[in-house]
């Protein structure tokens, strides 16, 4: 099982700044992730929340269950020390993903407070960022 967790405003994919985030919806993304999971032999569960508390609760669940995570922390990336502290407790790989390339955008997006406690980061490949992250997790599981 792999959890794919999405932070605030990602439920608005398809409507939200399509020039930056594309025309596909969260449901399209969920279908792609589940399909990739099937091919890789992993059940994939996709969730989204606008709530920091709920997202942290899901990270705790993953920590306790040793569940690998693909996480798009959205804007929490740039300022949530609480989310970082939750991720620091991880017991399985966690890959930070971004649809856009934050390093090529506004200054405030250049810093990620979660990158230092993630296994790694994949950014800038549109929804493919998630697919690459699922492959990375499947690889890590196969070799660990
Ligand atoms: C994002 C990038 C963040 O800076 C932004 O706040 C988001 C989405 C991305 O996927 O490109 O909400 O995480």
């Amino acid at each position: 099982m792999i959890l794919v967790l999405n932070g605030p405003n990602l439920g608005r994919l398809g409507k939200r700044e399509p020039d930056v985030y594309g025309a596909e919806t969260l449901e399209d993304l969920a279908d792609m992730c589940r399909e990739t999971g099937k091919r890789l032999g992993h059940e994939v569960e996709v969730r989204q929340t606008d709530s920091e508390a709920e997202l942290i609760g899901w990270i705790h669940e993953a920590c306790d269950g040793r569940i690998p995570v693909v996480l798009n922390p959205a804007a929490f990336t740039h300022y949530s020390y609480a989310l970082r502290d939750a991720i620091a407790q991880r017991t399985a790989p966690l890959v930070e993903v971004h649809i856009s390339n934050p390093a090529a955008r506004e200054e405030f997006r250049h810093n990620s407070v979660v990158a230092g406690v993630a296994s790694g980061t994949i950014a800038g490949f549109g929804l493919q960022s998630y697919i690459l992250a699922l492959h990375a997790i499947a690889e890590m599981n196969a070799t660990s």
Side-chain angles (χ1 to χ4, degrees):
M1 147 91 140
I2 302 172
L3 277 175
V4 176
L5 304 181
N6 293 281
N9 295 302
L10 292 167
R12 310 266 313 156
L13 284 178
K15 293 182 194 158
R16 175 193 185 195
E17 300 177 85
D19 45 319
V20 178
Y21 298 110
E24 280 153 310
T25 65
L26 181 69
E27 207 36 56
D28 296 331
L29 170 65
D31 286 343
M32 278 174 63
C33 289
R34 286 188 290 257
E35 200 47 51
T36 301
K38 232 177 255 167
R39 258 183 271 129
L40 295 170
H42 292 274
E43 189 198 329
V44 169
E45 191 174 316
V46 181
R47 303 181 192 169
Q48 189 273 330
T49 182
D50 292 333
S51 152
E52 187 178 22
E54 187 168 33
L55 187 57
I56 289 170
W58 290 343
I59 297 292
H60 292 165
E61 178 189 334
C63 295
D64 291 345
R66 299 185 179 280
I67 303 167
V69 174
V70 173
L71 171 66
N72 187 342
F76 294 147
T77 306
H78 312 301
Y79 66 89
S80 177
Y81 295 116
L83 181 62
R84 181 198 163 97
D85 285 350
I87 297 167
Q89 304 166 50
R90 70 183 173 77
T91 51
L94 180 145
V95 179
E96 175 187 355
V97 298
H98 299 283
I99 297 167
S100 68
N101 178 2
R105 299 180 63 197
E106 303 96 318
E107 188 81 33
F108 77 90
R109 297 186 202 276
H110 294 184
N111 188 46
S112 166
V113 301
V114 309
V117 287
S119 309
T121 302
I122 299 173
F125 298 98
L127 299 190
Q128 284 297 319
S129 293
Y130 290 77
I131 305 308
L132 294 167
L134 287 167
H135 279 269
I137 283 179
E139 266 315 303
M140 279 186 269
N141 273 0
T143 53
S144 63

